[in-house]
Amino acid sequence: MSFTPDSYSPAPDLLKDRIILITGAGDGIGAEAARECARHGATVVLTGRTQAKLEAVYDAIVAEGGPEPTIAVIDFAKAQGDDYRAIANALAEQFGHLDGLLHNAGILGYLSPIEHFEVPKWLEVMHVNVNAQFILTQELLPLLKAADDPTIVFTSSGVGRKGRALWGAYAVSKFATEGLMETLADELDYARVNCINPGATRTAMRRAAYPAEDPTTLKTPADIMPTYLYLLGPDSRGTSGQSLDCQPKRVRK
Ligand code: NDP
């Protein structure tokens, strides 16, 4: 099936009975993805570092009549192996499998030339944006393998495909994310693995990167959800190793 975000029309029960874990589910794109997955029938596992934000998303989903979510607090900057394993063990006990994994959490760090980029900040960005995804994926693969139609989605960026001055560790981490996705996609025959590039989207991260920008000119997280639903649901069966844009550039004819 050929996919374009503008023409995609997901079935209302697209994700019925699916268990989907979303990182960074307390704010921005991740919070909207959690609500949208629940609206389409998924039981979402809300992970993030700020419990109060995760609880607010939990309450919103329940208030809308969605399947009751699960919350797992984890700070990827500080988590150790046992913290990841505890999530995997809890999910194994509660559900026995995992249908979808959306790696959405990420940090910008700051914009700075490489020459002046502080080493601790560089390491933090690489750890949260890359290493944590690797560790979480590794812990969750047995649960994904136990699912009928597992899908893994990593979050990339335009600067993960073409480097740009000042974007430092963030850009390099997104290149690494693309590499992790491609490598894993090539290794797994039981799950599809893809990247999603949200494009410029109205969130706190975007505001931090472009403080002078008028946010009303940007797409909202809700606007970009079709590509998330596509990759997290059964319509993307057979698609793996791809990096999809939520806001593809129009090709002028
Ligand atoms: P936000 O900053 O709004 O949200 C990021 C989420 O990640 C928050 O829920 C945050 O938790 C969580 N998070 C950050 N650090 C950690 C950590 N150490 N441990 C656990 N969770 C953490 O960003 P966006 O919604 O804009 O971004 C979502 C993804 O989309 C990111 O991967 C980003 O790189 C990517 N992206 C965004 C674009 C945009 O224009 N917005 C463009 C291209 C890519 P908390 O709320 O507690 O801080």
Side-chain angles (χ1 to χ4, degrees):
M1 169 183 175
S2 90
F3 168 80
T4 55
D6 291 345
S7 63
Y8 182 56
S9 160
D13 63 349
L14 181 82
L15 304 175
K16 188 170 181 298
D17 298 332
R18 289 187 183 232
I19 315 296
I20 297 180
L21 187 147
I22 300 176
T23 69
D27 210 340
I29 295 167
E32 184 59 32
R35 288 192 296 263
E36 191 67 358
C37 287
R39 284 181 198 120
H40 287 79
T43 297
V44 282
V45 181
L46 307 166
T47 74
R49 62 182 168 182
T50 311
Q51 179 149 354
K53 289 186 179 184
L54 299 174
E55 285 171 354
V57 176
Y58 176 105
D59 289 345
I61 289 172
V62 171
E64 284 187 29
E68 188 179 359
T70 292
I71 289 178
V73 178
I74 183 165
D75 182 342
F76 291 131
K78 300 179 186 149
Q80 301 297 313
D82 287 352
D83 301 314
Y84 294 85
R85 202 153 308 129
I87 292 177
N89 288 343
L91 295 183
E93 197 167 310
Q94 197 175 352
F95 304 113
H97 74 280
L98 183 65
D99 300 286
L101 170 57
L102 172 58
H103 288 290
N104 162 82
I107 52 173
L108 175 68
Y110 45 54
L111 301 186
S112 161
I114 300 280
E115 187 179 1
H116 302 300
F117 215 106
E118 291 166 314
V119 173
K121 182 57 75 179
W122 183 281
L123 296 178
E124 182 192 349
V125 173
M126 294 301 290
H127 189 71
V128 171
N129 291 7
V130 185
N131 300 339
Q133 303 187 89
F134 153 67
I135 302 166
L136 184 63
T137 303
Q138 197 178 54
E139 286 295 342
L140 294 178
L141 280 180
L143 286 168
L144 288 154
K145 198 169 190 175
D148 291 335
D149 180 35
T151 169
I152 304 172
V153 181
F154 291 92
T155 305
S156 185
S157 164
V159 294
R161 299 168 184 163
K162 175 90 181 78
R164 194 183 306 157
L166 308 183
W167 283 76
Y170 180 82
V172 173
S173 76
K174 294 300 186 181
F175 270 86
T177 296
E178 295 267 354
L180 178 56
M181 177 279 287
E182 283 186 15
T183 304
L184 191 62
D186 204 34
E187 288 174 357
L188 299 189
D189 58 4
Y190 59 85
R192 56 190 173 285
V193 187
N194 295 285
C195 270
I196 199 163
N197 171 21
T201 308
R202 197 187 307 171
T203 67
M205 182 186 285
R206 178 76 191 184
R207 257 196 316 284
Y210 295 91
E213 184 176 61
D214 174 3
T216 64
T217 61
L218 299 172
K219 296 280 190 199
T220 66
D223 293 331
I224 61 169
M225 284 302 121
T227 312
Y228 284 81
L229 291 175
Y230 173 72
L231 286 178
L232 289 169
D235 293 330
S236 56
R237 273 191 189 126
T239 298
S240 196
Q242 305 298 310
S243 191
L244 299 194
D245 289 320
C246 295
Q247 305 180 51
K249 289 196 179 61
R250 303 267 180 279
V251 179
R252 286 192 196 175
K253 293 193 175 158

